[in-house]
Amino acid sequence: MKIASLPVPAPLIAYCEEKGITDLYPPQAACVDEGIFSGKSLLVAIPTASGKTLVAELAMHAQVANGGKCLYIVPLRALAGEKFREFSGKGVKVGISTGDLDRRDEFLGANDIIIATSEKVDSLLRNRTPWLREVTLLVVDEVHLIASPDRGPTLEMVITKLRYRIPDLQVIALSATIGNPKKLADWFGAGLVTSEWRPVDLRQGVFFRGKIHFHQGEREVAEPSKTEDLNLCIDTIEEGGQCLVFVNSRRNAEGFAKRAAAAFKKRVKSPVLEEYAARILESATTDQEKVLAACIATGSAFHHAGLRREFRELIEEGFLKGEIRCISSTPTLAAGLNLPARRVIIRDLLRFSGAEGMAPIPVGEYHQMAGRAGRPHLDPYGEAVMIAKNEQSIEELFERYIDAPAEPVVSQCTRSGALCSHLLSLIATGFAADREALSRFLVQTFYGFTHASTKALDTIVDQSLEFLAETEMITEIGDLLQATEYGALVSRLYIDPLSAEAISGAMLQADGYSDRALLQVVCSTSDMPALYLKSKDLQYLDKFLYEHGDDLWQQVPWEDREQFYRSVKTAMLLSDYTDEVPEAIICERYDVGPGDLYAAVTNVTWLIHAAARLAAMFREDLAPAVRELEICTSQGIRRELLPLVRLKGIGRVRARRLFNNGITDPAALQEAGFDRISSILGSGVAKSLFSQFDEKQTKERKDDLQGSSEQMKKAQTSLFGFGGCDE
């Protein structure tokens, strides 16, 4: 089927033809035959690299051409950025929204395609963003994540809400790993397209003692090193391919990258790699980042959430361009990012899982990783390889992973704590004004669709409504349900009601205020991932509590001492950040990466913002201090720099430089004059700063003139009013 024959606008056809895409793959053609251009909903369950994204893009452009608006939901912010770049520049307006969770982002309504995470869409729904009513096509990428314990309930609720509000909404759901696609398609009321077709042949095998065992035969691998994983990697590099190695921890990812770097030293040389390494060294602040630069110079890299975002993006860029030959990573890299490789090595099949300890990875996760093997138009085939511990386990690995289907997608709505926040949002936004309406809505969820009996769900609903009523977030009179001002605020702020109650309760009981007290409280909530404890931590945590325990609003709950200590440790990290402790020292002191620090600061800033809004409602006397802490945390500064960071272009580094030179506020900066500020910050920054003062003065003069004009108009409402005459 020719791209040019499809009912889509010319710019997209021209773009495809320019990229050499003139014909649809068989699974893509099946989507056209199934009715994708006639408004029919579809579940597209086809392998990675088989063209799922292009199917969605074709449907979106057709919708836009007919006056529609499209919403594209992704699981990760990084994936949202990738899709934004991929969809832009093809004749339609594309917007992206992944930021603040209590904003309506009304400006996004001017776009034809809006890309957002499921959490952001849920927030937009809670804040009654008007343009959502105009959406005619919903695309859900990685729809199997409905089964995720963390993100599943939100994704399921968002899909249900949008279909509930927009009955004729077309839905296109995409995934490569679904064990029960027919059941999910039936919930959507959608057609189903499944296929095993791939543009590059995928060979899945098990490596043991120098041989990869496939269903079709065996392949020998040379053994230049003592370790099997490295031998598999070197084999791929020497035949001109690239390699992805999936391991179960950050430490293992870094360890493999270092071993690979040593092996690649004589095998891979490139001035581009040296440039990448230099770019990392330019802004490297930790030993980990310096190690990363050294690895990249040889064509090896590691990738995980502890790295800062710009370094992860550089690694992805280098790999896509074929310069970086091997990436060792935790499985997060397999979650949707477009990074195919000739060979994928799934080295670690066990992963630490809370109470279970070390547990086998799910089959669906294996298939996600294996699906990255084979670069379209570059590789003649792709290989996904596991490593057997002994000869007996070769067959076991084939049965357990290669020949097994992915697990079925199962609703996570009944998980403890998952439903309370969503019930509050349903009541606060008018989806459910009484228990009957609430029941009607919940029946339309995937859980309601797949369960003949909803007793388990009903029990959780009753418990959640009881909690919301007791905390005065809702009122329940008879069957009628209504959110209070408090409940409506909590819903808009997009925080767990349990978190809101912990924060507001602590502030209500507080005798005084301290930053440490508030930080510890917000770090104890379910919305704030707390740092893990290590044995070496206990000594300095005990010392901290001995010296500052009286300042905290919460005391040590001896029945759950570990969780409390984790919240204190996290609060100490954030306190160090606002105390302007250098990033490298914080990372070393708390054994975290710059990416972890950024994530912690982002999360806690959102929670402190929520705390400031709650303080304005319940403890107005604390609100100014909490609002100041929000700025201090987001900028990483002490309070003394607050007047300076309010200037555009002034962050923590420049503000501290000014302060240390005796310039403590905007007035002092103006008084110092252009020449002195240029000597401290450079002429470009100084010029920008003084132009802000000129703009402010111009605006003030305009406001004064406007005010005078308005007063004149009021004074001259009639002839008799002119000059103060009486009527």
Side-chain angles (χ1 to χ4, degrees):
M1 189 178 290
K2 296 290 183 183
I3 293 274
S5 69
L6 302 177
V8 295
L12 182 60
I13 292 174
Y15 177 86
C16 290
E17 290 178 341
E18 185 185 328
K19 294 292 182 182
I21 305 169
T22 57
D23 295 274
L24 293 181
Y25 290 153
Q28 295 169 331
C31 293
V32 175
D33 293 338
E34 193 65 31
I36 198 169
F37 292 120
S38 59
K40 185 175 179 180
S41 292
L42 283 184
L43 173 59
V44 184
I46 60 178
T48 301
S50 297
K52 293 187 295 295
T53 301
L54 182 58
V55 167
E57 200 168 8
L58 292 167
M60 290 192 293
H61 278 251
Q63 280 276 355
V64 172
N66 292 320
K69 189 181 295 295
C70 308
L71 178 61
Y72 194 104
I73 295 180
V74 294
L76 303 170
R77 288 187 180 193
L79 190 54
E82 180 183 296
K83 295 303 177 187
F84 177 76
R85 292 187 291 273
E86 187 176 347
F87 295 158
S88 297
K90 301 177 185 177
V92 294
K93 296 177 184 175
V94 184
I96 183 171
S97 180
T98 59
D100 296 341
L101 292 173
D102 62 344
R103 284 174 46 182
R104 289 160 63 95
D105 285 357
E106 294 180 48
F107 65 92
L108 282 168
N111 294 293
D112 303 311
I113 298 172
I114 297 107
I115 305 160
T117 61
S118 54
E119 289 81 8
K120 181 60 185 182
V121 177
D122 192 21
S123 171
L124 294 171
L125 284 162
R126 295 183 187 205
N127 284 278
R128 302 173 188 254
T129 302
W131 59 259
L132 283 171
R133 294 192 294 269
E134 302 167 17
V135 172
T136 55
L137 169 61
L138 170 66
V139 180
V140 185
D141 207 351
E142 309 291 343
V143 71
H144 59 273
L145 290 174
I146 284 175
S148 163
D150 300 324
R151 293 191 143 144
T154 296
L155 180 56
E156 183 177 342
M157 284 291 174
V158 162
I159 294 168
T160 308
K161 285 178 182 179
L162 288 169
R163 293 179 64 214
Y164 191 84
R165 278 281 166 89
I166 312 169
D168 57 350
L169 180 70
Q170 182 184 13
V171 180
I172 297 175
L174 311 173
S175 178
T177 51
I178 302 179
N180 54 343
K182 180 69 166 61
K183 180 70 73 175
L184 203 57
D186 288 346
W187 176 53
F188 284 121
L192 175 62
V193 174
T194 62
S195 174
E196 295 300 317
W197 186 91
R198 285 172 49 98
V200 179
D201 181 40
L202 174 62
R203 305 172 187 173
Q204 300 181 72
V206 179
F207 183 70
F208 181 67
R209 288 191 179 174
K211 290 182 182 178
I212 306 175
H213 300 262
F214 299 104
H215 276 312
Q216 303 87 352
E218 297 176 349
R219 171 177 172 170
E220 291 194 5
V221 174
E223 300 183 83
S225 88
K226 295 178 181 178
T227 54
E228 295 175 315
D229 53 4
L230 190 53
N231 289 335
L232 282 166
C233 187
I234 293 170
D235 180 64
T236 307
I237 304 309
E238 290 194 334
E239 67 170 22
Q242 289 174 281
C243 197
L244 285 175
V245 182
F246 288 108
V247 296
N248 60 8
S249 71
R250 297 178 183 184
R251 180 171 295 179
N252 286 339
E254 293 172 18
F256 182 87
K258 286 189 280 189
R259 287 193 287 120
F264 291 176
K265 230 171 192 177
K266 296 178 182 177
R267 292 178 169 88
V268 180
K269 290 189 183 297
S270 162
V272 177
L273 289 174
E274 291 172 8
E275 181 193 330
Y276 284 153
R279 282 165 61 183
I280 288 179
L281 281 174
E282 248 176 60
S283 51
T285 59
T286 65
D287 289 342
Q288 177 198 68
E289 292 171 337
K290 292 169 186 173
V291 168
L292 175 64
C295 288
I296 284 178
T298 70
S300 171
F302 54 88
H303 185 293
H304 55 64
L307 295 175
R308 64 183 82 213
R309 184 179 57 200
E310 58 265 35
F311 289 176
R312 294 199 301 268
E313 289 175 351
L314 185 145
I315 292 165
E316 292 157 18
E317 174 195 313
F319 195 77
L320 284 170
K321 289 182 176 178
E323 297 291 342
I324 292 175
R325 310 301 294 279
C326 172
I327 297 178
S328 53
S329 172
T330 52
T332 51
L333 192 67
L337 291 177
N338 183 28
L339 288 176
R342 168 81 58 85
R343 179 176 285 164
V344 171
I345 303 168
I346 300 99
R347 196 194 75 176
D348 296 339
L349 296 168
L350 296 175
R351 183 175 61 239
F352 184 76
S353 176
E356 298 177 36
M358 297 301 288
I361 64 170
V363 180
E365 189 172 300
Y366 162 78
H367 285 302
Q368 282 282 339
M369 293 185 281
R372 299 289 154 203
R375 300 168 299 174
H377 314 299
L378 292 174
D379 290 326
Y381 60 87
E383 287 183 351
V385 183
M386 294 174 283
I387 301 173
K389 300 292 184 189
N390 51 57
E391 195 165 0
Q392 291 74 30
S393 63
I394 296 173
E395 189 175 338
E396 291 172 11
L397 291 174
F398 270 96
E399 289 178 4
R400 185 180 186 96
Y401 291 108
I402 294 174
D403 298 331
E407 295 85 358
V409 172
V410 177
S411 172
Q412 300 295 312
C413 277
T414 55
R415 287 183 66 86
S416 176
L419 200 59
C420 189
S421 178
H422 294 295
L423 291 176
L424 177 60
S425 79
L426 290 170
I427 296 165
T429 53
F431 275 92
D434 54 45
R435 285 205 176 224
E436 186 181 343
L438 196 58
S439 297
R440 282 199 305 271
F441 178 88
L442 292 173
V443 163
Q444 296 187 48
T445 63
F446 187 53
Y447 182 93
F449 181 79
T450 53
H451 289 75
S453 170
T454 58
K455 283 184 179 178
L457 187 63
D458 293 340
T459 300
I460 296 172
V461 168
D462 288 340
Q463 292 170 347
S464 298
L465 292 179
E466 185 179 346
F467 169 79
L468 293 171
E470 284 177 356
T471 55
E472 300 179 25
M473 294 189 200
I474 65 169
T475 57
E476 185 173 14
I477 303 170
D479 283 340
L480 296 177
L481 300 167
Q482 190 170 13
T484 62
E485 185 183 357
Y486 174 32
L489 176 62
V490 171
S491 178
R492 290 196 304 274
L493 290 172
Y494 205 77
I495 59 173
D496 188 325
L498 288 167
S499 300
E501 190 61 10
I503 294 167
S504 58
M507 288 193 296
L508 280 167
Q509 294 174 17
D511 292 330
Y513 174 82
S514 79
D515 288 346
R516 287 194 188 97
L518 181 60
L519 283 170
Q520 186 276 317
V521 168
V522 299
C523 289
S524 72
T525 67
S526 60
D527 284 314
M528 183 67 196
L531 298 176
Y532 286 104
L533 277 186
K534 299 183 178 179
S535 54
K536 66 178 183 179
D537 298 336
L538 296 177
Q539 184 176 354
Y540 73 77
L541 285 169
D542 283 332
K543 182 175 183 292
F544 174 86
L545 288 170
Y546 177 78
E547 293 173 354
H548 305 289
D550 291 342
D551 296 338
L552 302 183
W553 292 339
Q554 292 181 348
Q555 298 305 308
V556 181
W558 295 106
E559 68 280 2
D560 193 6
R561 185 168 175 249
E562 180 179 342
Q563 191 60 37
F564 180 81
Y565 271 40
R566 288 179 63 189
S567 71
V568 172
K569 179 181 176 181
T570 311
M572 289 173 66
L573 175 146
L574 293 161
S575 183
D576 281 355
Y577 184 70
T578 58
D579 206 32
E580 301 179 42
V581 174
E583 184 180 286
I585 293 176
I586 293 176
C587 290
E588 183 181 353
R589 183 177 291 172
Y590 297 95
D591 195 19
V592 298
D596 300 314
L597 177 58
Y598 171 80
V601 169
T602 301
N603 278 335
V604 87
T605 301
W606 157 50
L607 286 168
I608 295 169
H609 170 74
R613 299 285 300 278
L614 292 169
M617 180 174 283
F618 295 116
R619 282 293 302 268
E620 200 169 346
D621 57 315
L622 301 183
V626 180
R627 283 194 291 268
E628 287 182 354
L629 179 61
E630 181 187 350
I631 300 170
C632 290
T633 306
S634 65
Q635 297 282 348
I637 58 168
R638 298 175 185 170
R639 273 181 166 74
E640 62 198 26
L641 299 185
L642 281 170
L644 291 169
V645 297
R646 290 190 170 99
L647 291 168
K648 187 178 177 182
I650 297 296
R652 64 188 307 209
V653 175
R654 287 172 178 164
R656 177 53 59 193
R657 199 176 296 162
L658 288 169
F659 192 92
N660 289 345
N661 278 275
I663 298 162
T664 58
D665 56 34
L669 191 147
Q670 272 187 292
E671 189 178 335
F674 180 84
D675 290 342
R676 178 140 190 256
I677 301 305
S678 293
S679 69
I680 299 170
L681 300 179
S683 59
V685 176
K687 186 176 180 182
S688 172
L689 288 171
F690 281 91
S691 70
Q692 290 179 49
F693 296 130
D694 293 339
E695 287 169 11
K696 183 182 177 185
Q697 288 165 359
T698 301
K699 185 178 183 302
E700 286 172 352
R701 283 197 296 271
K702 283 182 179 177
D703 290 344
D704 288 343
L705 289 170
Q706 183 70 23
S708 300
S709 176
E710 292 299 324
Q711 287 177 351
M712 289 289 288
K713 285 177 184 175
K714 288 178 183 177
Q716 298 179 44
T717 54
S718 70
L719 279 173
F720 297 101
F722 186 79
C725 297
D726 295 327
E727 289 187 18

